[in-house]
């Protein structure tokens, strides 16, 4: 997945998380699930950049 694709997916997940949190509250299971999805995307993005940085050395 390209850099822009990751950023778009992360932004969509973040917006969905905010929407759910406003609608259901921070402790709702739907909010927690979305938070886990966002975390996974952020970790993938970070891992991708770490691998690219490692290849430079």
């Amino acid at each position: 997945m390209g850099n822009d694709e990751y950023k778009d997916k992360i932004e969509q997940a973040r917006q969905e998380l905010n929407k759910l949190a406003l609608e259901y509250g921070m402790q709702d299971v739907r909010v927690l699930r979305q938070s886990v999805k966002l975390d996974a995307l952020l970790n993938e993005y970070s891992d991708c950049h770490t691998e690219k940085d490692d290849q430079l050395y």
Side-chain angles (χ1 to χ4, degrees), residues 1-43:
M1 190 178 323
N3 198 24
D4 289 337
E5 289 176 285
Y6 268 117
K7 288 181 179 181
D8 289 343
K9 285 187 176 256
I10 288 168
E11 181 59 21
Q12 289 172 356
R14 186 191 64 77
Q15 288 178 8
E16 181 66 15
L17 177 61
N18 287 336
K19 185 184 107 183
L20 290 169
L22 287 172
E23 189 171 345
Y24 300 109
M26 293 295 289
Q27 298 300 316
D28 188 84
V29 68
R30 291 165 280 207
V31 175
L32 299 175
R33 280 192 202 123
Q34 185 63 26
S35 178
V36 169
K37 289 178 186 178
L38 177 56
D39 285 345
L41 281 170
L42 290 167
N43 287 334

